[in-house]
């Protein structure tokens, strides 16, 4: 995938010489998403791979159960303001309206109340479980991830989510200013290209928090490898839902947090 073009901005260095220069910066836009004519969300995203993002966002947030329930995506607008008109199946749209009706009347401070907590801590079906990836597939992974991040090379300020296939090769890379958006784009790309997430694993360059685990479980991703340490709650949920969770530190061996390591008592 070619790197997205980035606009260069001039700057002056803060110092006695006051040198000036120019640097490319990551682009972003506001994307309004509507389903069957009903406005649902406005997301700040990087403007590339928007079809992947809309499909992945719809899947990872439980708005549709499968790609077959998304019939059409119509993108419009340009620059800083864009829109995605999405047509989904009647069943999915009915469920979406029911969800919105349950949340109506909550205070305006954000996600509040019982319904919002149920969305933040949802009931998810556990994954069937999968073997851990071979250690050699994690060898020099940080370098391979950096080489695949073409947009980050150009402008920085980008998160990435990558799919490593059964042969240990980086097959897909999706980048975005938002870590959630990067994973949504990858989930959408996997679905659109009909690649089975269960045949490999996903790498996240960002902190692995609970919301990203939710998305992975809903998408059937068996293994998450994070370049940043996970939160304690994420580890608890990963173990509970049989998702393999691996942290790849800078200068030490990969750390498998889920499944839980066997204790000496369990080995005895």
């Amino acid at each position: 995938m070619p790197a997205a073009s980035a606009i260069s901005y001039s700057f002056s260095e803060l110092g006695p010489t006051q040198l000036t220069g120019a640097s490319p910066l990551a682009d972003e836009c506001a994307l309004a998403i509507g389903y069957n004519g009903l406005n649902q969300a406005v997301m700040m995203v990087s403007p590339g791979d928007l079809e992947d993002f809309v499909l992945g966002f719809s899947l990872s947030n439980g708005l549709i159960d499968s790609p077959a329930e998304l019939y059409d995506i119509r993108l419009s607008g340009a620059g800083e303001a864009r829109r995605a008109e999405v047509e989904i199946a009647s069943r999915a749209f009915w469920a979406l309206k029911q969800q919105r009706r349950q949340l109506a009347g909550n205070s305006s401070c954000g996600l509040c109340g019982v319904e919002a907590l149920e969305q933040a801590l949802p009931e998810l079906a556990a994954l069937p479980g999968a073997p851990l990836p071979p250690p050699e597939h994690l060898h020099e992974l940080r370098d391979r991830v950096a080489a695949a991040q073409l947009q980050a090379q150009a402008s920085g300020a980008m998160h990435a989510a990558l799919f490593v296939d059964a042969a240990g090769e980086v097959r897909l890379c999706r980048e975005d200013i938002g870590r959630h958006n990067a994973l949504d784009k990858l989930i959408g790309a996997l679905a659109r290209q009909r690649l089975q997430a269960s045949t490999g694993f996903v790498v996240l360059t960002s902190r692995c928090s609970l919301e990203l685990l939710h998305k992975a479980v809903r998408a059937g991703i068996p293994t998450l490898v994070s370049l940043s340490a996970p939160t304690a709650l994420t580890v608890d949920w990963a173990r509970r839902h049989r998702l393999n969770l691996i942290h790849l530190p800078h200068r030490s061996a990969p750390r498998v947090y889920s499944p839980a390591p066997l204790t000496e008592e369990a080995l005895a």
Side-chain angles (χ1 to χ4, degrees):
M1 183 184 66
S5 58
I7 301 173
S8 289
Y9 283 78
S10 59
F11 63 85
S12 60
E13 293 183 348
L14 186 61
T17 58
Q18 294 186 338
L19 295 176
T20 61
S23 176
L25 298 179
D27 198 7
E28 67 178 321
C29 68
L31 177 68
I33 307 175
Y35 292 89
N36 294 15
L38 182 66
N39 293 332
Q40 174 66 15
V42 178
M43 307 292 294
M44 297 305 299
V45 302
S46 299
D49 302 308
L50 292 181
E51 293 90 348
D52 289 343
F53 172 71
V54 172
L55 176 55
F57 175 86
S58 304
L59 287 166
S60 70
N61 286 281
L63 303 179
I64 58 175
D65 290 335
S66 73
E69 290 189 314
L70 195 152
Y71 297 154
D72 189 29
I73 302 172
R74 297 184 299 277
L75 297 174
S76 60
E80 64 187 24
R82 308 188 186 208
R83 183 165 185 83
E85 296 287 353
V86 188
E87 184 182 353
I88 58 176
S90 298
R91 183 217 62 81
F93 186 55
W94 182 87
L96 172 62
K97 289 193 292 184
Q98 289 298 109
Q99 180 188 97
R100 289 169 63 95
R101 188 173 296 113
Q102 288 173 349
L103 290 173
N106 284 344
S107 65
S108 60
C109 62
L111 287 176
C112 304
V114 173
E115 293 85 4
L117 281 175
E118 289 173 350
Q119 285 196 328
L121 303 170
E123 292 288 337
L124 300 174
L127 296 167
L132 291 168
E136 56 268 24
H137 288 185
L138 302 178
H139 182 61
E140 297 182 345
L141 185 56
R142 280 184 173 271
D143 292 337
R144 292 189 284 141
V145 166
Q149 285 191 260
L150 301 181
Q151 295 182 47
Q153 292 174 25
S155 61
M158 302 289 281
H159 295 291
L162 306 94
F163 177 64
V164 178
D165 65 18
E169 300 297 325
V170 175
R171 186 75 174 271
L172 289 172
C173 176
R174 291 294 182 268
E175 298 179 79
D176 199 275
I177 55 167
R179 57 197 178 97
H180 303 85
N181 300 344
L183 181 55
D184 281 337
K185 286 183 177 181
L186 182 69
I187 290 170
L190 287 167
R192 294 181 72 210
Q193 297 187 31
R194 299 188 178 182
L195 295 174
Q196 295 296 320
S198 59
T199 62
F201 61 90
V202 166
V203 185
L204 304 174
T205 61
S206 63
R207 175 176 61 88
C208 185
S209 58
L210 189 62
E211 315 94 288
L212 297 181
L213 180 139
H214 293 167
K215 293 176 181 291
V217 171
R218 287 191 178 109
I221 295 169
T223 301
L224 281 181
V225 177
S226 174
L227 302 192
S228 182
T231 65
L233 185 60
T234 303
V235 172
D236 290 339
W237 276 58
R239 293 175 177 179
R240 189 185 312 169
H241 292 85
R242 295 201 291 271
L243 180 139
N244 299 331
L245 185 59
I246 303 171
H247 172 217
L248 194 64
H250 275 283
R251 296 179 180 86
S252 57
R255 299 175 179 177
V256 178
Y257 284 99
S258 177
L262 294 176
T263 63
E264 293 183 3
E265 293 78 4
L267 291 170

